[in-house]
Amino acid sequence: MTDTVLDRFLRYVVIDTQSDPASSTQPTTAKQKDLGRVLVDELLKIGLADAHLDEHGYVYATIPTNSDKTVPVICFCSHMDTAPDFSGTDVKPQIVRNYAGGDIKLAGDTGRAIRVSDHPELQNQIGNDIVTTDGTTLLGADDKAGLAEIMTAAAMLVGNPDIRHGTIKILFTPDEEVGRGVNKVDLKKLGADFAYTMDGETAGHIEDETFSADGVEISISGVAIHPGFAKDRMENAIKIAGAIIDRLPRDAAPETTEGRQGFIHPTGVIGSMEKASLSFIIRDFTDKGLTEKETMLEAIVKEVMAGYPGSTYRFEVKEQYRNMKVVLDRHPEIVENAIEAVRRAGMTPVRGSIRGGTDGSRLSFMGLPCPNIFAGGHAFHSPLEWVSRQDMEKAVRTIVELAKVWEERA
């Protein structure tokens, strides 16, 4: 077994670990545990005697302290599942060694290419080794790059006792991609004071802010009647649903927003003449913005329903996660130490916001403040996903330096 970060990454991505939003189990797919067992075996071989996989699909492990100081216990976390958005079965990783620039054609689907015009970060990868798929599956750099980086850093810390560090916890989670990544995590058993998810993109980036997120479910009950006798009587639930979607503001959609702009996004619609259901996700960086968008959406529904007096609707909002910056601002040293670690690892730190969420969003509000650090992957959830070996190596160095910074500053 070789133990470079690239070797580990290539081992992990060929294990199918897609999560399933339709499943009610935890983990949502048993195959996530296949990777969990591999990771536990490797952690035990590294020398982490308490490494184990629990019944819910979480991997826990501890790197014991080698410092005589009282150092806060930090945790590094990544998720094992890949997104259900695109196939993660039979992944065939391809390596473009010493990338010379230009578009990268994907051998398994010649109609697909990773184009520099769509992926400008490729311009910073000249001479690096780029890992892609053959174009028929996603790659799984989200977040198996993070797994490989944490595992490699753990091996370095254990194998180099001259590197001083406090107690370090490792947590690998299932089901992050379907919003259940920390549903069953045992924070008491984990025993960490602060944490970092290795789940970001571009090298050097640290994210201490996420969207706040809600889901909205709208149920419509129409008036069903035989179409031959329907004049002035039928109220078709499918048409009501269509009218609601048609009236959504064009400038508040994922495809028309960027930066700190939020959105209203329909993610599913099913229906018959009598009943229809609409699913939405609502995103904004502030709770106020989230509430405004939900109020706007319900106003659209009421406006449409006014034209269908015999029909009724139900509007249900479910909280998903909140902007972790609220919590992290109370503990500025967490991000400050990460910035210093990135700098020591040879990069210019870039502090930013995520137009999405991580396990860290919910962990922060559960009492474990947890910003996000780059893992190096790009074009997540798609067959164009890619990551460079050198960026993964930079992430490994960042983890090691971060362990050292916490010990030095204790």
Side-chain angles (χ1 to χ4, degrees), residues 7-222:
D7 293 328
R8 293 182 189 280
F9 179 69
L10 295 176
R11 285 203 297 274
Y12 304 158
V13 295
V14 298
I15 302 171
D16 184 1
T17 58
Q18 274 188 307
S19 46
D20 179 7
S23 169
S24 60
T25 62
Q26 176 90 24
T28 58
T29 54
K31 59 190 177 183
Q32 294 178 68
K33 288 186 175 182
D34 295 339
L35 177 54
R37 283 184 279 269
V38 169
L39 294 167
V40 168
D41 182 59
E42 292 186 13
L43 287 164
L44 291 171
K45 287 176 180 174
I46 288 170
L48 306 190
D50 69 337
H52 67 282
L53 174 73
D54 77 1
E55 68 272 25
H56 304 300
Y58 294 88
V59 173
Y60 299 84
T62 306
I63 305 173
T65 182
N66 63 4
S67 174
D68 55 6
K69 298 181 181 179
T70 301
V71 184
V73 177
I74 60 171
C75 171
F76 292 101
C77 172
S78 288
H79 62 89
M80 296 179 287
D81 64 317
T82 58
D85 305 48
F86 203 84
S87 175
T89 303
D90 197 22
V91 173
K92 299 181 178 69
Q94 317 281 305
I95 304 177
V96 179
R97 298 193 184 275
N98 194 22
Y99 171 62
D103 298 345
I104 300 174
K105 294 183 179 178
L106 302 176
D109 185 340
T110 55
R112 290 196 169 109
I114 305 173
R115 304 188 188 284
V116 177
S117 57
D118 297 327
H119 304 269
E121 176 59 24
L122 281 172
Q123 296 173 55
N124 298 320
Q125 301 289 338
I126 305 300
N128 289 351
D129 298 331
I130 310 291
V131 187
T132 73
T133 67
D134 67 350
T136 62
T137 67
L138 48 69
L139 177 60
D142 179 16
D143 188 24
K144 291 170 184 174
L147 298 176
E149 291 153 8
I150 293 170
M151 293 290 293
T152 306
M156 288 180 66
L157 291 170
V158 172
N160 295 275
D162 54 313
I163 300 174
R164 312 306 288 178
H165 59 81
T167 300
I168 295 170
K169 298 289 185 172
I170 292 171
L171 174 66
F172 298 142
T173 66
D175 296 330
E176 190 266 359
E177 296 291 5
V178 294
R180 303 181 214 168
V182 297
N183 278 12
K184 301 281 188 180
V185 69
D186 187 339
L187 290 183
K188 185 175 180 181
K189 178 169 74 173
L190 184 66
D193 298 308
F194 308 116
Y196 298 90
T197 48
M198 302 296 300
D199 194 18
E201 292 186 304
T202 306
H205 284 233
I206 301 160
E207 293 140 339
D208 62 352
E209 184 173 31
T210 60
F211 271 142
S212 285
D214 283 343
V216 173
E217 297 292 330
I218 301 171
S219 302
I220 299 162
S221 296

Side-chain angles (χ1 to χ4, degrees), residues 222-237 239 273 308 311:
V223 178
I225 193 167
H226 189 291
F229 307 94
K231 186 160 191 314
D232 299 328
R233 298 166 70 189
M234 177 188 288
E235 295 183 3
N236 190 326
K239 289 187 175 180
M273 180 170 41
Y308 297 90
S311 300

